[in-house]
Amino acid sequence: MAGQPDPYSQGVDDAQKTVTLAGAFVDLVRGPATSFLRRRSAQQILRERLGEWVDEAVDAQGRWLQPVLRTDAFENHLIRSNGHFRPTGSCLASFAWAHLLFALDIRPGRGVLSWGLPKKSNDAASTGQINLKIDGQVLCHVVNIYRLYTTKYMEQRLSSTSIFPQVFEMPFGKLSVSKNDSQFVATFESGTSEELSSARVPFSYHCWLISGTCLKFDQEVVIARYFNTIHHGVSDSNAMLPDASRSLKERIQALLRAYKRLLSSNFSDPYLLTESWLKEASRIKRRVTTDGGYDNSLADDIIANLRKPVNALMKLQEGHNDDIVDDILCSVVRESFMTAEDCFQFVWTGRTISTRVRRMAIKDLVQGKLSNMVEKILNEAPASSWMRVLADMSDDVTATLRIPNTWINRPGVRLELTPQEEIWNSECLIEG
């Protein structure tokens, strides 16, 4: 009949509609199903990667939590163990931060690590990824106490701030710290299983010319000495420096006492210093010797006095080039002063420090005459001169000049990450 579809065409059309409807149904179901399977797979991966931490990582509502390491909890952990411990149990987790926690003997059930809900943008159930949130102060403690102090580090000059990115080598791995915009981010590359499981000892070092492997603080006081250094700049209370607002005489005498105390130490009685302590000590010596680093009058006057014909310098010049002797004289005198570019520096070195006989003779000459010359020059300085202010402290000025600017192979280390650093008060992430 005209206008009516034949039965065959109708059957084909109905079949095509059925197929289309079935396809649409499959597409409708496939999306959520695929998402469900993907999410389930990510959660399974997350459980496997969390290892021993999996029970603490989920709250009562089944939500994944983020690990958080706070300052008070970590400092209490340090104090309880005196900074010495051997990791217990086994590390089943594969997250890098879990390896670091294991190396620090931070284990499940002890209450050192806390947990909180992560930002919504970090859906661990979908990504299978969890980062450790850690106070910057904790990260600084870990670096200061457990880094491996090396000759290369000790030879670095003081800087205004620590430079990032930076890699800190430790006996059990490497901690890399960088700054992305306003966020400090760290990654941990663990060492071998044996290195991770080995005993933790504060202030380890590697220097072929110095025997031993760590500074030998008494175990009961090492963490107390460390916190004393953090708060006062030096581990020995007898070597503390006064505030810059105190009189110059007080500051000079405090520096001399501190140097005498530290000079008497050996590797069985070590000490810790911060960069801020070294910078303050340098400011005192600059003020005493060059009026803050910019006036070389005192050094020039000493050299001029030593050049006078009546002085013993003439005997040293016999048979030698006068210009060479004069160059050595100037060098020997000026190395006792501290200019704006100079600062106290720690150096561990195995290089032989050779001093030629002629230079030694000139140094002996300078040291023998230094006290009388300093007293004479200060007393004869113009009344308005900065040197005249020091006239009644000439013995202290001489003693300050005798403090070397470079301290070679001394039994102490310089802590790098202190409260003056931006990272100290920041919140950091250690990526999984």
Side-chain angles (χ1 to χ4, degrees):
M1 183 182 294
Q4 295 293 326
D6 65 86
Y8 175 77
S9 298
Q10 181 67 49
V12 170
D13 186 55
D14 291 345
Q16 288 177 338
K17 289 180 178 179
T18 301
V19 170
T20 302
L21 180 62
F25 177 76
V26 170
D27 290 340
L28 181 66
V29 173
R30 180 187 294 156
T34 301
S35 177
F36 171 77
L37 291 173
R38 186 184 300 116
R39 187 176 182 87
R40 182 179 180 184
S41 177
Q43 293 202 45
Q44 182 60 34
I45 292 172
L46 200 57
R47 287 182 175 278
E48 293 171 358
R49 295 195 68 195
L50 281 165
E52 65 270 29
W53 292 103
V54 67
D55 291 338
E56 293 190 14
V58 184
D59 69 5
Q61 286 75 46
R63 295 174 298 185
W64 291 104
L65 303 175
Q66 181 176 28
V68 182
L69 188 53
R70 294 300 187 197
T71 301
D72 287 347
F74 183 71
E75 289 183 350
N76 289 335
H77 176 62
L78 281 176
I79 293 168
R80 282 194 301 268
S81 63
N82 291 315
H84 293 71
F85 38 74
R86 181 182 293 276
T88 54
S90 301
C91 184
L92 304 177
S94 62
F95 281 113
W97 53 260
H99 291 178
L100 177 61
L101 295 181
F102 175 74
L104 299 172
D105 199 32
I106 297 174
R107 310 299 289 140
R110 296 184 182 175
V112 180
L113 192 68
S114 56
W115 298 81
L117 288 172
K119 294 180 179 178
K120 291 183 178 180
S121 58
N122 183 19
D123 183 8
S126 299
T127 63
Q129 178 69 24
I130 292 181
N131 296 326
L132 170 67
K133 187 186 296 183
I134 180 172
D135 285 348
Q137 196 166 329
V138 175
L139 199 61
C140 293
H141 289 333
V142 172
V143 170
N144 288 336
I145 298 173
Y146 297 111
R147 78 182 300 172
L148 189 64
Y149 287 90
T150 63
T151 302
K152 181 179 179 181
Y153 167 73
M154 295 297 286
E155 289 181 343
Q156 293 175 359
R157 289 185 61 83
L158 298 184
S159 59
S160 56
T161 58
S162 292
I163 299 173
F164 296 100
Q166 188 172 169
V167 178
F168 300 98
E169 184 179 354
M170 300 178 176
F172 50 90
K174 294 180 180 179
L175 190 64
S176 302
V177 183
S178 60
K179 186 179 181 184
N180 300 333
D181 297 325
S182 59
Q183 176 80 67
F184 283 96
V185 177
T187 58
F188 178 66
E189 180 184 342
S190 63
T192 65
S193 297
E194 291 76 14
E195 289 169 340
L196 280 178
S197 302
S198 62
R200 298 284 81 80
V201 179
F203 308 113
S204 298
Y205 59 78
H206 177 69
C207 185
W208 66 268
L209 76 156
I210 300 174
S211 62
T213 57
C214 65
L215 294 181
K216 297 187 182 301
F217 287 100
D218 290 338
Q219 183 170 333
E220 293 75 19
V221 302
V222 61
I223 295 302
R225 292 285 183 89
Y226 168 72
F227 283 120
N228 201 52
T229 307
I230 291 297
H231 295 300
H232 302 293
V234 61
S235 56
D236 192 324
S237 298
N238 294 317
M240 289 170 53
L241 298 176
D243 186 83
S245 63
R246 304 295 286 273
S247 71
L248 181 59
K249 187 178 184 68
E250 287 179 280
R251 295 170 68 205
I252 295 172
Q253 291 178 343
L255 174 60
L256 295 175
R257 285 194 303 271
Y259 179 68
K260 182 178 180 180
R261 172 66 189 93
L262 299 180
L263 186 65
S264 67
S265 296
N266 53 51
F267 276 89
S268 296
D269 179 28
Y271 52 84
L272 306 171
L273 294 173
T274 63
E275 294 200 4
S276 60
W277 189 97
L278 289 167
K279 288 174 182 176
E280 178 57 28
S282 300
R283 279 191 287 270
I284 296 172
K285 183 168 182 179
R286 282 194 211 99
R287 173 65 180 84
V288 173
T289 62
T290 59
D291 193 28
Y294 300 100
D295 191 324
N296 296 315
S297 300
L298 182 56
D300 294 341
D301 288 348
I302 291 174
I303 292 170
N305 274 271
L306 286 168
R307 281 173 174 162
K308 292 179 180 179
V310 296
N311 257 309
L313 184 63
M314 295 300 294
K315 296 180 180 180
L316 295 173
Q317 290 175 322
E318 294 176 4
H320 299 291
N321 184 297
D322 290 357
D323 290 338
I324 293 177
V325 172
D326 192 69
D327 287 346
I328 296 174
L329 170 67
C330 293
S331 173
V332 165
V333 172
R334 295 193 189 284
E335 71 183 14
S336 297
F337 288 73
M338 190 169 281
T339 65
E341 294 77 27
D342 298 325
C343 58
F344 285 119
Q345 201 71 27
F346 266 89
V347 174
W348 286 352
T349 179
R351 294 190 293 270
T352 303
I353 304 170
S354 59
T355 305
R356 295 183 180 275
V357 173
R358 188 189 310 163
R359 187 178 182 86
M360 282 299 300
I362 293 177
K363 289 189 76 167
D364 291 343
L365 169 67
V366 171
Q367 292 301 320
K369 294 181 173 294
L370 190 61
S371 181
N372 290 336
M373 280 193 296
V374 167
E375 182 179 12
K376 177 176 180 295
I377 292 168
L378 295 182
N379 280 294
E380 293 179 354
S384 59
S385 168
W386 64 272
M387 290 190 290
R388 187 60 176 270
V389 175
L390 302 172
D392 64 341
M393 297 180 275
S394 63
D395 288 344
D396 290 340
V397 173
T398 301
T400 303
L401 286 169
R402 287 177 173 152
I403 300 177
N405 291 352
T406 302
W407 298 5
I408 298 174
N409 296 341
R410 300 304 304 155
V413 296
R414 166 177 54 86
L415 305 182
E416 181 176 0
L417 301 182
T418 57
Q420 289 71 36
E421 299 291 336
E422 180 186 1
I423 190 174
W424 186 269
N425 293 312
S426 300
E427 190 171 73
C428 310
L429 287 178
I430 298 184
E431 295 180 331

